[in-house]
Amino acid sequence: MSRDDSAAYSSDSYNSAAYSTVGIQAETVHDSHVYIVHPDASPQEKYRVGVRLLEDGVPSRAREMITDAIAHGHDGTEVRFHWVLAMLSARTHHDLSGEEVQRLRYTAGRVRDYAEDEWSEALRVTFDLLVALSTAGSETGPVLKQLQDLPHRQHDAILRHLDLMLTGGLKDYLWAETLERARAERFANDRDQRVWTYFAPNPIGARAVPPRPSTAAAAKAALPLRAVLFVVSSALLWALALITDPAQAIVELPVALGAGLTAARFGVRWWGRWPGPGPAAGARVPHPRAPASDSAPGPASADDGFTKRVRHSFDHYFSRRRPHGFSSDDWLAYTDQIRSGLAAEIADLYRERRTGVERVEWLIRYLAEDARNRYNNGTLFDQHHQGRTPGRTKALTVAALAVLGGAALATFATAVTDAAQQRVLWAFLAVLGAAWSGHAAASRWLEVRREEHRLDRENREYREQLAARQSAYQRWQSFLDDNRPSEQEMETWLACDKTLFVDEALRHHRLTWRDLITHTILVAPAPSYKRGRVPGGPWRYSRYVFRLFLFTQDGIREISSEFDFSDATRRNEQRNNYRFDALTSVQVTENSDVGYDLELLLANGPARKIRVKDAEARQLAPTENPQEISEISLSAAGSTHTFRLLEGIAADGKSWIERHGLDSLAPFPIAG
């Protein structure tokens, strides 16, 4: 299955200047409980979920979970290490509240009380780095050596989560190592082959057209009376013939019985079977009085939008899954009736509110492959041919009926030969009654047999089709489950993309970390995206816009670019440079029906609106809080830090950064 076979991106309005998007495209919420915590969960479980959130790029929620675990008695060096990282992740010192700084200082003062292990050492190194940052002219060599000596797990975690904290010369020393790790991990674990599965829609379960209820009840009710009348009439006619000419009647009776049994035996194979399914290869449109499911309103209308999308999808997959030697147009023409029947069936089975075609494309793809495979092995139209009655059966039936008719007429002739007028009348009534009741009884009997045959056939087809489709569904679901990236993988790839984007921007502007006062990067959805998430986690997008702000002594450098997350290719790069005093206004607008917008107003240009996050309009579980999910997504995108920084500069200019610079952070008291 290639990425081309996944649901196509839908188009929408696009403002290339502002990178704004309009509306929500495809979105998926995975059936995962990775972040779900029961209200009665133990502190240990809350801590484990908190660490998972931290590793997956949701530090705001991780802080809450780990803090709650500590408050309920789950504490120690490992817990404190992850709590400190959660406090500092995706933040700078001016994002910390006074209370948070005091709690960090309290934890720093307790380092000496912890038993010596790898976690306490990692905790000590973390605070030593903060001291080196907040102490002018401090020697960084020893602390860098301590950092390098840590185990990889703690070492990499510190570099990742203190990314915004580490600035200036200290970051210059660590930047080469950070870049090397980003380049190594950027396409690890088959990223380019697996990312699309994260955004693939959750497939809806397998369905097939169930058998229609039997309509033979009326025929069964009328059959006994007509059968009795036929037996009585036939017996009367034979009795009259036996009275008139016993020898002739004894010969005519077995001939009539033999012909009747032969006609019944072969006639039921001709008229007693339901007609074959025809050229649609087994497709059966649900009966209007017996919809396929509670939500299916009946047969698909040719003008229905959902049906049109289903037909389009069938055309797409049939043109791609075709036998060798067929062009797309030839195969589509050859299977026109098959596709029409299958499209009508699928449209009726799955037409229900909020069911998109992309959720049933796995089934459409399977049916296209099945049609191709059956053509290759010569069974594409087998069901159609199986519905045909052999000519030999038809000939024997007609011959038996002719003999039966001849025997009946011969018996009538025998009964009326030299008979009294009254006997002739009874013989005529007996023939008339036998003919009418025989035809009526045979019609009802054949109708019952046809319904029984149809019900048996449709039950068998239903079981076979449903089993085959369930197997295809399980294969597709297993494929998605086995290949879908984890939250940690998605976050790691995203972090690598951001790191390399920052590096290219620094090299383009010929800047080093020593030249920067601070920086921030804002991650937002790009046009024509698909998005997905796990319950309790942030939205992740198939297409991003990275917007990097580099703050130097001379002003602000803004670099933005659109990223395709599947292969990290980028386009539409834009650069803007302006002084601190040129940023005159920053406005953040939240609209529950639209999303989150950031509006920058420059003194020398028009207002620039940046879409930060789309609305949470759908796909929230009943237990999820829309506001909480919104805050998680904004935090994961770096919006909280970016908003605070830009709003501060818009209000006070460069003086805001000077007031909140590194010199404003008092050293953390670390015991020797």
Side-chain angles (χ1 to χ4, degrees):
M1 170 75 183
S2 65
R3 262 201 334 265
D4 294 338
D5 289 333
S6 60
Y9 292 120
S10 60
S11 61
D12 66 335
S13 300
Y14 170 45
N15 183 328
S16 61
Y19 287 108
S20 60
T21 56
V22 179
I24 296 175
Q25 279 92 69
E27 55 184 56
T28 301
V29 177
H30 303 301
D31 185 15
S32 172
H33 295 83
V34 65
Y35 299 143
I36 304 301
V37 180
H38 192 273
D40 298 329
S42 66
Q44 291 80 1
E45 176 61 23
K46 292 179 180 178
Y47 166 70
R48 284 193 292 270
V49 173
V51 172
R52 194 177 300 129
L53 286 161
L54 179 63
E55 293 174 343
D56 296 348
V58 194
S60 59
R61 183 69 174 146
R63 285 193 290 273
E64 298 176 13
M65 299 299 297
I66 300 176
T67 299
D68 186 84
I70 293 174
H72 287 84
H74 185 57
D75 203 350
T77 55
E78 180 181 352
V79 177
R80 284 289 172 172
F81 174 74
H82 286 110
W83 177 81
V84 170
L85 293 187
M87 294 294 288
L88 302 176
S89 183
R91 306 171 93 185
T92 62
H93 59 278
H94 54 71
D95 292 320
L96 299 172
S97 67
E99 179 184 355
E100 289 173 332
V101 171
Q102 290 302 319
R103 294 174 67 183
L104 284 168
R105 285 176 176 160
Y106 170 78
T107 300
R110 289 192 57 197
V111 170
R112 65 179 181 273
D113 299 329
Y114 292 125
E116 289 292 335
D117 60 16
E118 60 179 351
W119 298 105
S120 63
E121 180 62 21
L123 195 57
R124 184 183 299 275
V125 171
T126 301
F127 284 117
D128 284 349
L129 284 170
L130 295 177
V131 170
L133 283 170
S134 59
T135 304
S138 62
E139 178 61 40
T140 59
V143 69
L144 290 175
K145 178 63 167 61
Q146 295 172 25
L147 178 63
Q148 295 297 333
D149 291 341
L150 289 176
H152 285 294
R153 180 179 180 185
Q154 289 84 358
H155 170 272
D156 293 347
I158 291 173
L159 287 185
R160 175 185 171 190
H161 294 293
L162 268 64
D163 176 63
L164 293 180
M165 284 283 182
L166 300 176
T167 57
L170 188 59
K171 188 148 188 174
D172 267 340
Y173 286 117
L174 299 170
W175 189 237
E177 182 182 350
T178 302
L179 283 176
E180 182 180 358
R181 187 174 67 255
R183 292 190 181 104
E185 296 179 351
R186 190 181 195 187
F187 294 104
N189 301 325
D190 296 323
R191 169 183 175 172
D192 57 339
Q193 299 297 320
R194 296 174 56 216
V195 163
W196 68 269
T197 62
Y198 187 90
F199 305 103
N202 295 321
I204 197 166
R207 299 176 186 174
V209 179
R212 289 175 293 147
S214 175
T215 59
K220 285 183 178 180
L223 179 59
L225 179 62
R226 287 162 174 75
V228 169
L229 180 59
F230 173 73
V231 170
V232 171
S233 300
S234 299
L236 176 60
L237 179 62
W238 185 73
L240 293 174
L242 188 64
I243 293 172
T244 303
D245 189 345
Q248 185 70 20
I250 290 175
V251 173
E252 293 167 348
L253 177 61
V255 172
L257 288 175
L261 292 175
T262 301
R265 178 183 176 184
F266 291 99
V268 75
R269 299 180 186 178
W270 183 2
W271 294 304
R273 293 181 182 272
W274 192 261
R284 290 184 286 109
V285 179
H287 194 277
R289 294 188 298 271
S293 66
D294 293 340
S295 56
S301 167
D303 296 326
D304 179 71
F306 177 73
T307 303
K308 287 182 178 179
R309 292 192 294 274
V310 169
R311 292 183 186 278
H312 176 76
S313 187
F314 266 102
D315 291 345
H316 170 74
Y317 284 111
F318 265 74
S319 67
R320 293 179 64 87
R321 267 80 171 168
R322 61 183 186 273
H324 179 71
F326 273 91
S327 68
S328 295
D329 292 340
D330 290 343
W331 181 241
L332 290 177
Y334 187 78
T335 58
D336 181 65
Q337 288 184 312
I338 291 177
R339 294 195 326 279
S340 296
L342 290 173
E345 175 186 332
I346 299 305
D348 275 290
L349 283 173
Y350 290 96
R351 184 196 288 114
E352 55 197 53
R353 193 176 183 186
R354 293 186 179 179
T355 295
V357 173
E358 64 276 0
R359 295 190 64 197
V360 296
E361 284 191 331
W362 68 268
L363 177 55
I364 297 173
R365 184 170 54 250
Y366 159 74
L367 293 173
E369 293 170 352
D370 181 63
R372 178 195 61 192
N373 295 339
R374 286 192 290 111
Y375 174 84
N376 288 336
N377 59 33
T379 61
L380 182 58
F381 296 108
D382 268 11
Q383 290 178 302
H384 174 51
H385 296 315
Q386 288 170 4
R388 296 178 178 176
T389 304
R392 178 174 175 273
T393 299
K394 294 180 179 180
L396 288 173
T397 303
V398 171
L401 288 175
V403 172
L404 177 62
L409 291 177
T411 303
F412 173 74
T414 301
V416 299
T417 300
D418 298 330
Q421 185 176 1
Q422 186 176 7
R423 190 182 299 174
V424 172
L425 178 60
W426 280 107
F428 177 76
L429 291 176
V431 168
L432 189 63
W436 178 83
S437 61
H439 178 270
S443 298
R444 298 300 184 274
W445 177 64
L446 290 173
E447 182 179 349
V448 171
R449 290 299 301 270
R450 277 197 303 269
E451 277 297 290
E452 290 175 347
H453 177 266
R454 178 195 63 80
L455 203 58
D456 288 343
R457 178 177 61 81
E458 290 188 1
N459 268 313
R460 183 177 65 256
E461 289 179 357
Y462 173 72
R463 290 191 297 268
E464 291 173 353
Q465 286 184 358
L466 187 60
R469 294 177 184 186
Q470 285 175 336
S471 179
Y473 169 80
Q474 291 298 333
R475 289 195 301 272
W476 180 243
Q477 186 67 66
S478 297
F479 175 84
L480 292 179
D481 292 342
D482 293 343
N483 289 275
R484 183 178 293 122
S486 67
E487 291 298 298
Q488 187 172 3
E489 286 177 314
M490 294 290 286
E491 182 60 26
T492 298
W493 293 331
L494 182 61
C496 292
D497 287 342
K498 290 191 287 186
T499 296
L500 293 169
F501 180 60
V502 171
D503 178 64
E504 290 186 23
L506 290 173
R507 288 190 286 108
H508 174 80
H509 290 288
R510 298 181 180 179
L511 296 171
T512 68
W513 287 103
R514 297 175 188 271
D515 301 321
L516 300 184
I517 299 173
T518 187
H519 76 289
T520 184
I521 186 167
L522 181 64
V523 178
S528 301
Y529 63 79
K530 290 192 272 187
R531 70 177 184 177
R533 68 181 183 89
V534 299
W539 286 108
R540 302 187 184 277
Y541 299 91
S542 61
R543 298 175 66 85
Y544 283 100
V545 170
F546 290 171
R547 194 176 299 271
L548 173 64
F549 297 90
L550 301 175
F551 299 88
T552 68
Q553 293 294 333
D554 300 326
I556 304 172
R557 289 179 170 85
E558 178 190 343
I559 308 96
S560 61
S561 187
E562 184 179 329
F563 272 76
D564 187 328
F565 190 65
S566 62
D567 55 11
T569 56
R570 73 173 194 235
R571 62 176 185 173
N572 297 332
E573 183 167 309
Q574 295 184 358
R575 301 185 185 92
N576 292 283
N577 301 280
Y578 40 89
R579 302 184 311 276
F580 289 105
D581 56 6
L583 184 60
T584 60
S585 176
V586 174
Q587 182 176 353
V588 178
T589 303
E590 181 180 10
N591 186 316
S592 59
D593 296 326
V594 178
Y596 238 98
D597 289 329
L598 172 67
E599 188 172 346
L600 301 180
L601 183 62
L602 301 179
N604 58 348
R608 296 164 52 221
K609 182 175 289 187
I610 302 168
R611 171 60 49 82
V612 178
K613 182 183 70 65
D614 272 335
E616 309 292 346
R618 300 180 293 170
Q619 299 285 18
L620 292 184
T623 57
E624 290 184 306
N625 185 320
Q627 184 63 32
E628 183 178 282
I629 298 300
S630 178
E631 291 174 357
I632 287 173
S633 295
L634 287 171
S635 175
S639 305
T640 305
H641 171 62
T642 302
F643 292 171
R644 185 191 300 273
L645 190 58
L646 293 177
E647 288 171 341
I649 293 173
D652 298 332
K654 187 177 180 180
S655 61
W656 186 88
I657 288 187
E658 292 172 348
R659 289 199 308 272
H660 294 79
L662 290 175
D663 294 338
S664 67
L665 182 63
F668 286 97
I670 306 297

